[in-house]
Amino acid sequence: MHSIKGTTTYGRLLIGISIATLLLTLATAEDPIKCFQCSSKDSNDCLDFTKLQAKVCSNTAATKCFTKNDAGTITRDCMGDGDCTGENCKTCDGTTTDACNNHNICKKCSTDDALCSQSQVTDIKYNSICDSSTTECFAQVKDKKVERRCAAAQDTCDATSTTCKKSAAALSNQGFFPAKRIQCYQCSGSECSDPSTATILAKPCANYVDNDQCYMTAESAAAVVRGCKSDDGTKCSDDAADKSNCFTCSADSCNNSAYEKIQKLKCIQCEGDDCYKEQQASDAKDCKEKILYNAEESCITTFTKDGIYRGCLHDNPSLAEECNKDGTSCKKCNSGDGCNKEAEENTFTCIVCRSDIDKKCWNEADSTGQKCRTGESSAQEGCFHGIWNDVAIRGCVIDADEKTKATCLDANNHQCRVCYAKNCNKDKSSSAPQSVTIFTGLLVMMISAIWYLN
């Protein structure tokens, strides 16, 4: 009986020692570390550590976390044997509270890579691991080209700069840079004749300069070149010797014209007396003629021998030639549809006088005309000059009575003549056909009288 009690007591002692040893072991063992554990192959959140939650490592022996870049695929995890080696891997000492593998991810490319300047650099091959979570992403224009990478300590950007950028967010140096750089069609040859029917797309210029422009130049419909004024060796640069065939513009994709283009500008189109008053822009009509890619669309208001004319510059070649000269009365505009709508003063006048009141009216009529009395007139109605009872009378056709109009408009009646231009009724009365007719009539009467007396 005594031996049984001794054995039981000894067993209990061994159990107690074992439990104590286990508790001591558990008390002295380190808790497993926490790391970010993800792959960008599964989720893009892995590229931005601010979107991740630290997880306890299943490998309790792990003491480090890592961030690895495998051809653009980013992996974050707990460090195991052979998990992370080489320059494309960043490691850190793990803790039981926070994940240390919170390295920022930025885009990296050099000025030697055209896509670094001309694309948004979204391809994963440009992913780069920075040294820490506080390392910012950096982009700058360098010798007209773009460079992107993780920022170095010495990198600084002026707060107002448009050609240098530092920012803390992951991948914040991707996208077109500078953000407002112009995008142009850039091509040559047959595929370049009409971008609307081709597969080419506008893209940022290879070089970045402030206030860059797109251009188009052509020798024929089949020999078209499109690009950026900042391109190396372009025929349309500011210092090019001959830019006569160049069309330049300042908006994205604006060099998209066909060799011959349909005019987009709508113009007021009218003639005659009602055309002098202000017109409604909503009455503007499409222009009819196609024009060359580098021709400037314009609406015009001008005055011809027939009066006022409003229309499209290129729809009337003879007027276009006159309107393109300096010092003409032609007004051009292209500020918007119907821009040639403003009211115009009717400048049509005729010489108005009577020789029984002003002797100069016979042969020396003042060339300064007067406005017509009874209403607006134009060269279409005209001026008149006639002789009645040895009195020369000049004036506007619309001011004459119906009998006088009939006489003057009768081509077979030489007593009066009508002309169709401003102040055109200034011929001398002594040499006018109507004067000759009167003289001839008197001469016939005198000869008849002499013959009768004989």
Side-chain angles (χ1 to χ4, degrees):
M1 186 70 177
H2 176 75
S3 61
I4 294 175
K5 286 184 178 181
T7 301
T8 302
T9 302
Y10 180 73
R12 288 176 178 173
L13 179 61
L14 288 176
I15 292 172
I17 292 172
S18 298
I19 292 173
T21 302
L22 177 61
L23 291 174
L24 181 62
T25 301
L26 291 175
T28 57
E30 292 186 4
D31 291 335
I33 63 171
K34 292 182 178 180
C35 300
F36 291 131
Q37 302 172 47
C38 62
S39 171
S40 61
K41 185 182 294 185
D42 301 322
S43 172
N44 284 332
D45 285 352
C46 197
L47 300 171
D48 185 353
F49 71 90
T50 64
K51 298 179 180 180
L52 304 175
Q53 288 187 339
K55 298 179 181 179
V56 174
C57 294
S58 58
N59 178 7
T60 57
T63 60
K64 291 180 178 291
C65 304
F66 72 86
T67 305
K68 181 173 66 173
N69 184 354
D70 185 8
T73 298
I74 302 300
T75 303
R76 303 178 194 260
D77 211 336
C78 308
M79 188 73 173
D81 292 338
D83 281 339
C84 189
T85 58
E87 61 180 11
N88 290 326
C89 184
K90 305 284 186 183
T91 62
C92 56
D93 294 327
T95 70
T96 59
T97 54
D98 299 310
C100 65
N101 57 340
N102 54 357
H103 305 90
N104 200 13
I105 307 298
C106 299
K107 294 295 185 178
K108 181 180 180 180
C109 53
S110 72
T111 56
D112 295 330
D113 185 347
L115 291 178
C116 199
S117 296
Q118 293 182 280
S119 76
Q120 299 194 62
V121 196
T122 54
D123 195 306
I124 66 170
K125 70 179 182 179
Y126 294 112
N127 289 343
S128 177
I129 304 172
C130 300
D131 288 337
S132 71
S133 62
T134 59
T135 304
E136 295 179 290
C137 295
F138 181 71
Q140 69 171 343
V141 174
K142 186 177 180 181
D143 297 328
K144 300 182 183 180
K145 309 292 186 181
V146 175
E147 173 191 29
R148 307 172 197 250
R149 53 180 169 78
C150 298
Q154 66 271 21
D155 290 326
T156 58
C157 293
D158 187 278
T160 60
S161 175
T162 59
T163 57
C164 182
K165 176 183 178 182
K166 278 179 68 177
S167 50
L171 305 178
S172 55
N173 63 341
Q174 69 179 4
F176 292 125
F177 185 80
K180 294 185 178 180
R181 68 186 304 161
I182 193 170
Q183 298 188 40
C184 306
Y185 286 101
Q186 301 168 53
C187 58
S188 62
S190 58
E191 69 166 3
C192 203
S193 60
D194 188 354
S196 66
T197 61
T199 57
I200 58 174
L201 299 174
K203 59 183 178 181
C205 301
N207 296 321
Y208 178 80
V209 296
D210 289 335
N211 303 315
D212 202 0
Q213 291 183 300
C214 304
Y215 80 84
M216 173 184 172
T217 184
E219 296 179 1
S220 68
V224 178
V225 179
R226 306 174 195 270
C228 307
K229 281 183 67 176
S230 62
D231 290 344
D232 298 330
T234 175
K235 295 180 180 179
C236 295
S237 64
D238 288 332
D239 55 357
D242 181 11
K243 295 182 285 188
S244 58
N245 288 336
C246 291
F247 166 77
T248 58
C249 53
S250 302
D252 286 345
S253 309
C254 59
N255 60 337
N256 61 343
S257 172
Y259 180 70
E260 286 188 324
K261 63 183 180 181
I262 297 173
Q263 298 185 65
K264 297 179 181 178
L265 185 66
K266 296 182 179 181
C267 302
I268 299 296
Q269 302 177 41
C270 63
E271 297 178 81
D273 295 344
D274 287 341
C275 198
Y276 285 98
K277 65 183 181 182
E278 182 178 0
Q279 308 294 310
Q280 297 298 316
S282 57
D283 292 333
K285 300 176 182 177
D286 291 326
C287 299
K288 298 176 182 177
E289 299 297 325
K290 284 187 175 182
I291 59 177
L292 285 181
Y293 66 94
N294 58 344
E296 183 179 46
E297 297 181 42
S298 292
C299 300
I300 60 171
T301 301
T302 190
F303 299 91
T304 69
K305 64 181 182 63
D306 296 323
I308 191 171
Y309 173 90
R310 301 181 196 258
C312 305
L313 175 67
H314 300 287
D315 285 359
N316 193 320
S318 60
L319 288 181
E321 183 178 354
E322 183 67 22
C323 284
N324 285 327
K325 294 179 181 178
D326 294 331
T328 68
S329 61
C330 181
K331 298 179 180 179
K332 295 192 293 184
C333 65
N334 55 14
S335 58
D337 291 344
C339 60
N340 60 334
K341 65 183 178 64
E342 301 300 328
E344 296 291 340
E345 181 183 359
N346 186 349
T347 60
F348 182 77
T349 57
C350 294
I351 297 171
V352 180
C353 63
R354 293 174 59 103
S355 63
D356 57 346
I357 297 175
D358 180 0
K359 292 182 179 180
K360 289 185 177 181
C361 190
W362 185 262
N363 278 342
E364 301 175 7
D366 188 352
S367 60
T368 303
Q370 298 180 29
K371 298 278 287 184
C372 300
R373 293 180 292 105
T374 58
E376 295 289 345
S377 185
S378 68
Q380 290 177 311
E381 285 83 18
C383 307
F384 75 88
H385 170 209
I387 299 174
W388 288 270
N389 299 322
D390 293 333
V391 175
I393 301 176
R394 306 172 192 265
C396 300
V397 172
I398 66 167
D399 292 342
D401 58 45
E402 293 304 318
K403 184 177 180 180
T404 302
K405 286 181 183 178
T407 300
C408 294
L409 293 171
D410 184 354
N412 296 317
N413 191 330
H414 299 295
Q415 184 179 2
C416 179
R417 279 286 179 265
V418 174
C419 57
Y420 299 95
K422 182 178 180 179
N423 299 334
C424 60
N425 56 338
K426 58 186 177 182
D427 289 341
K428 293 182 178 182
S429 299
S430 58
S431 61
Q434 52 267 48
S435 179
V436 173
T437 299
I438 293 171
F439 174 76
T440 302
L442 290 172
L443 182 61
V444 170
M445 291 175 63
M446 290 175 64
I447 293 173
S448 298
I450 293 172
W451 179 83
Y452 178 77
L453 290 173
N454 289 334

